[in-house]
Amino acid sequence: QVQLVESGGGLVQAGGSLRLSCTASGRTFRNYIMGWFRQVPGKEREFVSGISRGGVSTYYKDSVKDRFTISRDNAKNTVYLQMNSLKPEDTAVYYCAAERSQVVPKTPGQYDYWGQGTQVTVSS
């Protein structure tokens, strides 16, 4: 069982930055692929970014490439999402998720564990 807790959301002006953190319980964090998703009311949860177990491979939604950076610190059981040049369309609840497959999945249904979410609001 893995419990995930996100933090770092908030209100920021367009062009600003935020860093989201997601800390996992347990001693097997390094065995999990980690992903960040986001969701706005009335829409499906969408993949934002994912990172392999060792942090070597990273993946991004096209619209956030060159603006967002995912990283992880396995010693701290934490995955990060650095978000720069934020846009109003980035406004959403952001969730981190974990699962133990071999490759980074991009669909929510393939993840086993989820955090409670953190709100990110970007004003224009």
Side-chain angles (χ1 to χ4, degrees), residues 3-7 21-25 29 76-79 96:
Q3 293 184 325
L4 304 173
V5 179
E6 302 101 333
S7 62
S21 300
C22 172
T23 300
S25 63
F29 178 75
K76 295 183 178 180
N77 282 14
T78 301
V79 61
C96 70

Side-chain angles (χ1 to χ4, degrees), residues 6 20 37-38 48 68 81 83 90 92-95 117-118 120:
E6 302 101 333
L20 305 183
F37 288 76
R38 67 187 182 188
V48 175
F68 291 10
L81 186 68
M83 306 186 295
D90 294 318
V93 177
Y94 283 71
Y95 299 88
T118 186
V120 171

Side-chain angles (χ1 to χ4, degrees), residues 8-14 16-18 86 91 118-124:
L11 173 64
V12 64
Q13 289 188 332
S17 298
L18 285 173
L86 282 161
T91 295
T118 186
Q119 177 70 48
V120 171
T121 303
V122 184
S123 63
S124 58

Side-chain angles (χ1 to χ4, degrees), residues 63-92:
S63 63
V64 308
K65 284 179 181 177
D66 301 324
R67 298 190 297 123
F68 291 10
T69 303
I70 190 171
S71 61
R72 66 189 297 164
D73 185 338
N74 285 344
K76 295 183 178 180
N77 282 14
T78 301
V79 61
Y80 305 97
L81 186 68
Q82 177 67 44
M83 306 186 295
N84 299 329
S85 302
L86 282 161
K87 304 176 180 181
E89 51 264 42
D90 294 318
T91 295

